[in-house]
Amino acid sequence: MTTTTERPPATASARPPWYVPFVGWRVITLLLTLVGIAAVLMRRGIVVSGPLRWTAALAFVGATALAVAALGYTLRPRHVGRVGGFSLDFLIAVVAAFVAFNRMDMFTGLDAVGEAFNDSAGWLLVIVLGWLVSGFRSGQNAAVRTAARWTMLLGVVILALSMGLVPGVVEFISRLIQPEVFPIAVLAVLAGTSARLLWSDAATRFYGSDQRQLEALDGMLFVAPNALGFLAFFAGPLIVSLFISFTEWDGLTDATFVGLRNYADLLSDDLFLRSLRNIVVFGVIAIPLAVAPAVLLASVLNSKLPGMKFFRAVYFLPSIAGVVGVTLIWKQLFDSTVGYVNFAILKVTEWLNALLGSGLDAPQPQWISDTNIALFSVIILFVWQQIGFNTVLFLAGMQGIDGTLYEAAELDGAGPWKKFVNITIPMLRPTTVFVVATTTILALQLFNEPFILQSPSPPSGPGNATLTPVIYLYQNAFQEFEIGYASAVAWALFLLIFGVTLLYFRRSREDGVLTT
């Protein structure tokens, strides 16, 4: 294990020539974040309102804290200042470039660029031909290689001309120098230049970064695209939805802050409570049916019988099939008039009557439209889809069990059932915890199956028999346009799922199944 020590602050004589303008840039970024907070709160130049406004203010507050840390640890200097400054500059460069391109209407012209490239793609053959010729250097003279490189250059020029890049560049420059775009573009360039400087060897020497810190900085750069996507498409909307849940908002007009009223209303909302009751009943029945048979199937598929690989693939197919297509097929199967489920019940009853000489009447359930069994039809579909995936997980767990345990049990005279009960089941407990937890999460998030089965009728089903919290969220958000109340439903469901999952893992850790 290597230890690192903080390098003492650089003296004035040891500071690089770019130190003073760089500190000035750090001050500018701090002022920009403060101006951003003021602009959002005072609604000056920031076209956001309601929850988005407070989310933007929170983002600027975080950027301000990062700017303060970057400035303070740059004045010392310490490596943490380099990391903070690099992160802030990278974010500023990306956001400013995006805003600039958006104001230039660059994103609307990407389709035209793609069509132009497709029409001119034939000239790529000239470029590839020149590259191939220049790559085979053995036995060639300098003249041939030079001719190949000129061929590549000629192909690039012709491709650019055929795509119309020259007038495109002129148009790009004319849009770039517009007063509402140019300052933002300059900000993006300055932030990008600063980020590049902080990633240089000169910054390494100035901040005294060691090898481990350099590798961490490189890792930050590599994960930056994924981190930005996470912030933009997951963390950001998540925070916005939390703010929205404390408001009354229809998504169009200004939001009205109502505090905890939405959450209080949930406690007395009959439809929400009905959805919770439905999902609890669904989970109590569906989860054991999707888990217990999967263990037995995995035990059979783990045997040495011929054709087991084929059956493994067959059982796994429902979990990878498209949920829409599969649900539509089951909707046809459940049809009370022409569905094959009722047809099979009819034929089995006729066979029993002929065999036993009885006069049984064949039941013909209204699978989707009957209040009493509509939820059960969803359970059948869910279990059918999930059991194959759980089987594969249990099969992987069984194949990881030490074979010597079974050999020792056989020497003691244990049969297949005793080995299964006393060895397989206990050794599968970590896998069982994972399977039960994931199946529970999927059950609590139930939406697709009842939504498609009941279509074109309301997805809540007859008498709200198939109403689930996610369906209730959908109805409030996209049918009633009560975005604030729907967000409260979403966060209530999140707390339910988080609590159940935490309970699973905590109980398993107490039993010694999972270790920290």
Side-chain angles (χ1 to χ4, degrees), residues 57-72:
L58 181 62
F60 276 114
V61 169
T64 301
L66 195 60
V68 170
L71 176 60

Side-chain angles (χ1 to χ4, degrees), residues 9-10 15 19 22-24 26-27 68-78 81 206-207:
R15 290 169 179 169
Y19 174 75
F22 185 72
V23 171
R26 293 268 66 92
V27 174
V68 170
L71 176 60
Y73 286 106
T74 297
L75 294 174
R76 295 190 184 183
R78 294 290 185 269
F206 174 69
Y207 285 97

Side-chain angles (χ1 to χ4, degrees), residues 95-119:
V95 173
F98 178 82
V99 173
F101 284 141
N102 186 55
R103 292 194 173 187
M104 294 167 63
D105 294 329
M106 293 299 298
F107 299 111
T108 58
L110 292 179
D111 292 340
V113 174
E115 293 177 0
F117 178 81
N118 290 334
D119 295 338

